Every structure is written in C-alpha cells, then in structure tokens.
Amino acid sequence: MDELKFPESFAWGAATAAYQIEGGWDTDGKGLNVWDTFTHQGGDRVLKNHTGDVACGSYTLWEEDLKCIKQLGLTHYRFSLSWSRLLPDGTTGFINQKGVEYYNKLIDSLLAMNVTPLVTLYHFDMPQALEDQGGWSSEKTADVFEQYAKFCFSTFGDRVKLWITVNEPAMVAKLGYEQAIFAPGKKETGFGAYRSAHNMIKAHAKAWHMYNTFFKEKQKGLVSIALDSDWAEPLDPNSDGDKEACDRYQQFRLNWFANPIFIDGDYPAVMKSEISRNSKEEGLMTSRLPEFTDEEKKIIKGTADFFCLNYYTSRNVRPLSTKPSGPSYNSDTGAEGIKDPNWPEAGVEWLAVVPWGLRKLLAYIKNTFGDPDIYITENGFAQSDPPVLQDVQRWGYFEETLTEVLKAIKQDGVKLKGYFVWSLLDNFEWNSGYNVRFGLFHVDFNQPNLPRTPYYSAIEYAKVVKENGLISK
Ligand code: BGC
C-alpha cells in the first residue's frame, strides 16, 4: 500500500533530554545545573517535590535505553548533553573526562547499532556556575555557549552529524526568566523573557557559525535549533480581532525565533511595534524588546541548516479578555489560546490532541520560512499516573498524527525528513515530576533497577518504523 509509506530514508526516532533521564546528579564530577538547584529548593516548585537526582538512571542504565531503541528499530535517537557533566562550571577551563567517556560510549554504541544520533547541546539545564553570573540574562553566556559548542563539535563531531543548539528557547525564556515556573526561577516580568531570548538567539548563531567556519567542511554535519509551537486558529474566523490576536500568538512564539534565524535576522514586525508602543506608554525611554544591530542581524540570518519543530497541541485564539496589570510578555502578546472542548486531552491539562494542527503548522512553516527540510524533533502524548501498559487510545493519537504527517508530505509537499516521539522513556516531566508519563517505555520508578517495559504504543510504533509506513487496517 504505497500511499501509507513514508519517503525513503525517513528518520524514525525518539527523544530524551539529559536532566529528564540521566540521574547521577552529583556523580563522577558532574557540576550542578539550574534544575538541580531548583528541585532541591523544594517548596512545591515541582509536583510532590520530585527531583531528577535519579530519574531513569540512564547515566548508569544507558544500555537498557539502547535495548529500548533496538526494540523499536529506530533509525535515529535524539538526546541531549548535560553541559555541567562535561564542563562542571560551564567553561572549558575544566573538562570532566568521565562525562566525555559517558557520551562517547553512548554515541559509539548507537553508531554500532546503526542508529544516527541527533544531539542537543542545551535542553534547559544551564550550569549553575553560569547562572550565578546571570545565565541567559547575560550576554556573556552567548560567548561561553559558543566555546561549549566548539568543545562538543571537536569532541563528538567526528561521529555526530546532526546538532541542535538550544531546545525550545521560548519555554526557557518565558517560564525560566519571566514567570519563575521553570529553573532558574527568575521573575523579571516584561523584560526577562525578551532579554534571555535575545541572548539565546545570539548564542545559537555563534554556535552555528563556529560549526560552519571551523567544522563543517571536515565533519559535514548540520546544525539547527529546536522551536516549539502550537498551531493557532482564530476563535471566530470572521472576527478581525481574533484573526489579529491569532497572528500575534504565532508571531510571539514561533516567529520570535524563526523570523530572525530563517528570514531576516530580526524580530517580527508586530513584536517590535507592540512592545515598543507599550514601553512608551509605560514611560520607558527604550523598548523592553532589545534590538539587534545591523551587524548582528547579518550574523543571525540563515543560521539553521534544517527546521526542528516540537509540536504538541493547538489553540483557538482571541484577544486577551482582561489585560494583566503591569508589563509582561502576555500583555504584550494580547492574545489568549483556548482549547476546543471537543479536543481530547492526553494525560495533562495543556495537551489537547489536535493532529490536523500539526499538518497546518507544517504547511505554515514550509510557506513562511523558505520551504526548509523539517524534522519533527518532538511530538507525543502523555498518560497521567498510574498509566496503563495497554495504551490503545494513546496509540490511536499517534496514528492519527502520523496520518496527518503523511498528508503534509504527500499532499502539501512539505519536505519532512523525520519524526521523533517524545519520549523514549517515562521521565522527569519538569514541574509535573514523574506524574506525567510521555514514554514509549514505562519506567517503574519504585524499583531500584528502574525497569523499562514497552507500552502497547511502543510495540505499534516499532511496526510503523519497520514498515516505514502506517499499517493498513
Ligand atoms: C520539552 C520536553 C518536555 C515535553 C513535554 C517539551 O516542551 O522539550 O523536555 O518533556 O515538551 O512537556
């Protein structure tokens, strides 16, 4: 059944991130990172005060993870490097050889199994020593990140050919530096998100240039950044107000990063005008949105070799019903996303299941950002605790999603190169701790050896991977 097949050499993957799976938080010379600090502060920052101290134990149980990957028959595996495991204080002043050995073993074993690694340099876990000097609030961190990237390219780049610099900068900026929901727990409303995003964009661009200038010719790899986005529809398609709000919702999230990196080195026009107008009204002399110089715009433009999209859900959008008092990212956006009550929820309140939203978003990316090669670097559905191993309904969501993905490729001509399930394993789901389970494999966190057991979804996903296509019914 050819119409159910994916293109040849399509990348089938699953994804994880260091802090969410590794554990070994203080083992073998690893330095502290912001999530170690944040979770150890307790105070219900995370549900039940769970921490990533042990997580899935992948620092020692990585061979168990490889077995899961093998069982799925994946062609690709996406994981992240723990910055402070490699460079305990974040700088190349001291290199933790044990950390290097750990990732060398993992990368070599993946390649021996014919699995291509897709490696993220930074997935939310800033070394605490750098955070103490401002973290992403400081421009200097972009330079330190460039050196970290150089170190990773020179250490692992002989074998790693697909790189992601930063995972979901919008989440880090908003939740980490504006709303104090994520580590490092900073609350600099109206400023923090924009400032940290500005520095992450610079950091990304520096790392891309570092690769392009010094490594690309020899190593022949590709570098990108992973951007998260909902699909957004105007709540009332006939309302101009809803249409404008919907556009702002999109521009302030995906295009905030994709516009500078894929289009012109600068922020979307509507972000610049809204934030500047609000800043003026607040009596400020300059906009709360920092500006890139012309030189910086040139450096930032075109710094991605492919497009990495993390997609989970969609929203219907209308203007904010009540404007928050005081300046903030939310009041600048002036839009609110609403879930359609008919959309099912998957394991966690924010995750409304909207497979067709992904198809629309892929077409939007194709048409807006120059028809790039795209990888869906995360997509998934959760179960709340306690989960069922026979997660038949959840697999149904995956099937519906893959059907839409196939339409995007075949009917819309999207150059989609791969799809990664979030996640390989149940893991530390940030503020939700271990209560929200995204894994293809169940992890029993109550047993010391943290056994992995495939869900029904894993068994079915393995069939799709093997067929390189959906299974006809
Ligand atoms: C993140 C993952 C996270 C997942 C589910 C993404 O925002 O990159 O780390 O676990 O979503 O919430």
Side-chain angles (χ1 to χ4, degrees):
M1 290 282 263
D2 265 7
E3 69 268 23
L4 296 180
K5 290 270 184 213
F6 279 69
E8 240 175 81
S9 62
F10 190 78
W12 290 107
T16 58
Y19 187 78
Q20 295 179 274
I21 66 161
E22 284 180 4
W25 71 283
D26 63 348
T27 310
D28 287 346
K30 175 182 160 292
L32 280 183
N33 65 45
V34 292
W35 274 92
D36 293 319
T37 308
F38 190 73
T39 56
H40 292 169
Q41 282 164 346
D44 291 323
R45 286 171 172 79
V46 171
L47 192 86
K48 298 186 188 162
N49 289 321
H50 286 162
T51 75
D53 290 3
V54 177
C56 309
S58 294
Y59 184 62
T60 46
L61 298 172
W62 57 279
E63 282 159 303
E64 298 305 308
D65 299 350
L66 294 183
K67 286 183 200 160
C68 299
I69 293 168
K70 192 161 193 172
Q71 206 172 326
L72 293 169
L74 301 182
T75 65
H76 286 61
Y77 177 51
R78 175 180 177 219
F79 63 95
S80 82
L81 304 175
S82 162
W83 189 346
S84 66
R85 192 181 293 291
L86 289 165
L87 311 178
D89 72 358
T91 76
T92 48
F94 179 77
I95 293 161
N96 180 25
Q97 218 41 53
K98 290 273 188 194
V100 175
E101 281 163 27
Y102 171 64
Y103 294 114
N104 272 338
K105 280 186 299 197
L106 181 59
I107 293 165
D108 291 345
S109 309
L110 287 168
L111 293 174
M113 287 162 57
N114 231 345
V115 175
T116 304
L118 166 52
V119 175
T120 309
L121 295 177
Y122 162 78
H123 195 125
F124 303 171
D125 50 355
M126 166 78 63
Q128 185 59 45
L130 294 180
E131 187 54 48
D132 293 343
Q133 294 167 50
W136 290 122
S137 312
S138 162
E139 196 175 339
K140 284 196 197 120
T141 301
D143 297 318
V144 184
F145 183 79
E146 181 185 26
Q147 292 309 310
Y148 166 54
K150 180 182 178 192
F151 162 75
C152 295
F153 299 148
S154 65
T155 309
F156 306 115
D158 54 336
R159 291 152 292 153
V160 174
K161 305 298 168 190
L162 290 171
W163 294 98
I164 289 172
T165 55
V166 174
N167 180 68
E168 301 194 352
M171 287 295 129
V172 178
K174 276 193 297 188
L175 304 181
Y177 288 88
E178 165 116 2
Q179 296 171 4
I181 293 171
F182 268 18
K186 288 202 176 146
K187 205 174 182 98
E188 293 171 350
T189 323
F191 293 87
Y194 304 135
R195 193 184 295 132
S196 55
H198 201 67
N199 292 324
M200 280 187 266
I201 293 171
K202 286 188 189 176
H204 159 78
K206 279 172 191 272
W208 184 89
H209 281 286
M210 172 60 74
Y211 192 83
N212 203 45
T213 312
F214 296 106
F215 296 92
K216 186 152 180 129
E217 201 178 287
K218 185 141 187 261
Q219 296 186 352
K220 302 192 168 37
L222 303 171
V223 180
S224 187
I225 181 168
L227 303 179
D228 56 284
S229 186
D230 298 348
W231 172 247
E233 296 261 329
L235 182 63
D236 172 357
N238 297 316
S239 148
D240 286 343
D242 288 6
K243 281 195 252 178
E244 282 163 23
C246 182
D247 181 58
R248 288 197 303 276
Y249 189 89
Q250 192 81 296
Q251 300 285 339
F252 271 74
R253 171 110 174 244
L254 181 64
N255 303 41
W256 183 9
F257 300 90
N259 205 86
I261 293 168
F262 287 87
I263 300 194
D264 61 3
D266 202 3
Y267 294 118
V270 72
M271 281 189 83
K272 293 198 288 186
S273 60
E274 291 296 302
I275 302 167
S276 155
R277 197 200 54 225
N278 291 343
S279 304
K280 241 179 238 158
E281 279 174 19
E282 292 149 20
L284 298 172
M285 302 294 284
T286 53
S287 175
R288 286 183 279 100
L289 181 69
E291 278 180 25
F292 293 119
T293 63
D294 287 344
E295 193 50 36
E296 285 169 344
K297 285 180 200 164
K298 276 191 217 138
I299 291 172
I300 291 162
K301 180 182 164 175
T303 52
D305 303 318
F306 55 106
F307 200 109
C308 297
L309 171 70
N310 294 356
Y311 171 81
Y312 288 91
T313 193
S314 293
R315 289 290 184 267
N316 291 325
V317 181
R318 67 176 178 205
L320 267 185
S321 38
T322 40
K323 223 175 158 70
S325 64
S328 67
Y329 169 92
N330 283 341
S331 73
D332 292 331
T333 311
E336 66 189 343
I338 295 161
K339 286 184 297 183
D340 186 315
N342 295 318
W343 295 337
E345 239 175 50
V348 58
E349 166 277 322
W350 57 266
L351 208 174
V353 179
V354 195
W356 54 263
L358 176 54
R359 178 180 175 191
K360 291 204 171 188
L361 185 55
L362 289 168
Y364 175 83
I365 291 169
K366 172 186 166 73
N367 297 330
T368 313
F369 302 113
D371 197 9
D373 284 352
I374 305 175
Y375 285 77
I376 297 167
T377 38
E378 284 182 31
N379 172 245
F381 305 98
Q383 295 192 74
S384 56
D385 211 44
V388 291
L389 283 177
Q390 280 300 107
D391 59 339
V392 178
Q393 187 185 41
R394 182 167 166 249
W395 174 249
Y397 299 152
F398 277 112
E399 268 188 326
E400 284 173 43
T401 303
L402 289 170
T403 304
E404 294 298 321
V405 167
L406 206 47
K407 288 185 201 157
I409 299 172
K410 299 208 161 165
Q411 296 177 30
D412 308 337
V414 172
K415 294 196 294 200
L416 192 76
K417 300 295 169 190
Y419 174 86
F420 290 72
V421 171
W422 183 270
S423 172
L424 180 67
L425 307 170
D426 287 342
N427 61 41
F428 176 79
E429 175 51 22
W430 308 118
N431 302 98
S432 306
Y434 298 97
N435 270 53
V436 170
R437 292 171 176 266
F438 272 96
L440 286 169
F441 283 77
H442 173 267
V443 178
D444 186 345
F445 296 105
N446 294 319
Q447 291 194 48
N449 58 340
L450 300 158
R452 284 88 160 125
T453 311
Y455 288 106
Y456 175 79
S457 284
I459 292 158
E460 293 302 308
Y461 187 51
K463 292 182 192 161
V464 169
V465 173
K466 189 158 183 237
E467 278 298 308
N468 191 35
L470 292 163
I471 314 295
S472 62
K473 291 201 169 139

